Amino acid sequence: MASLVELKNVYKIYGEGLESEVRALDGVSLTIDRGEFVAVVGQSGSGKSTMMNVLGCLDIPTRGEYLLEGTDVRELTDKELSRIRNKEIGFIFQQYNLIQTLSVLENVELPLIYQGINVDDRRDMALEALDRVGLGKRVKHKPAEMSGGQQQRAAIARAIATKPPIIMADEPTGALDSRTGHEVLEFLQQLNREGTTVILITHDNGIAATARRCVRLTDGKIVEDREQEVNWF
């Protein structure tokens, strides 16, 4: 498989040079191939969310290289980074980040508007994504009219509407009950079987067991990186 992302001796340092300096990432090197399903697991403060921010081009390393499809992201303009975040990476968060005054359909359409997609095409793309997650009959509902599981499915529809090659999921089941959480993880596994690269950020070893590969962080360092038997749902 071709290498999709590569971190080379990456540091993310807050307050560098100060007595209160924090090394959220401390010399991390990691390669993720196209089509992998990788769980990045660690406790609070381990650096896992910082790693997702770097991998998702939401933040830039203090030192070291991050190559995305062979391109050093530190050389990209803000506009180019924004395009990557909007088109190449789909984000799923613990908090659904849906706009309460918009319908579910309008929430899914919103990033497509930012991409400049015309009204007919973006409506079709949003409806297809909502059908995919089982919300085809609730497109006019607003988030407050839906359960937590339905809101997370709407957030997933928003993330997959453009069929991005990478999905980054940060504690995507954290606000859900066990059954609904399993449904979300099963959907991520299905996306991976279809060829999408999935990077799952979690503190939960059971959730990490749904990925083919587990990368464990402690104090900003990778302490384990192994293939594993998958816990299929």
Side-chain angles (χ1 to χ4, degrees), residues 7 10-12 54 59-66 73-74:
L7 301 178
V10 164
Y11 291 80
K12 184 62 185 180
V54 169
D59 209 346
I60 300 297
T62 305
R63 295 201 297 272
E65 288 183 294
Y66 171 28
V73 300
R74 296 182 73 177

Side-chain angles (χ1 to χ4, degrees), residues 50-109:
T50 301
M51 179 179 285
M52 192 205 75
N53 289 340
V54 169
L55 291 174
C57 297
L58 297 167
D59 209 346
I60 300 297
T62 305
R63 295 201 297 272
E65 288 183 294
Y66 171 28
L67 303 180
L68 178 60
E69 295 187 286
T71 299
D72 189 342
V73 300
R74 296 182 73 177
E75 298 176 356
L76 299 178
T77 65
D78 288 343
K79 184 176 181 179
E80 290 169 329
L81 290 170
S82 179
R83 185 196 66 80
I84 289 171
R85 291 191 297 267
N86 285 335
K87 190 171 183 180
E88 302 299 322
I89 303 173
F91 294 95
I92 304 168
F93 298 99
Q94 178 176 346
Q95 303 303 323
Y96 320 121
N97 295 336
L98 300 173
I99 297 176
Q100 298 297 312
T101 56
L102 299 181
S103 70
V104 167
L105 179 60
E106 290 168 333
N107 268 283
V108 176
E109 283 187 296

Side-chain angles (χ1 to χ4, degrees), residues 147-161:
S147 68
Q150 289 170 334
Q151 291 185 62
Q152 186 61 295
R153 280 191 276 162
I156 292 172
R158 182 182 56 197
I160 67 172

Side-chain angles (χ1 to χ4, degrees), residues 27-64:
V28 168
S29 295
L30 176 70
T31 298
I32 298 175
D33 291 330
R34 195 179 307 275
E36 283 201 89
F37 190 156
V38 180
V40 178
V41 63
Q43 296 305 309
S44 178
S46 64
K48 62 185 187 299
S49 292
T50 301
M51 179 179 285
M52 192 205 75
N53 289 340
V54 169
L55 291 174
C57 297
L58 297 167
D59 209 346
I60 300 297
T62 305
R63 295 201 297 272

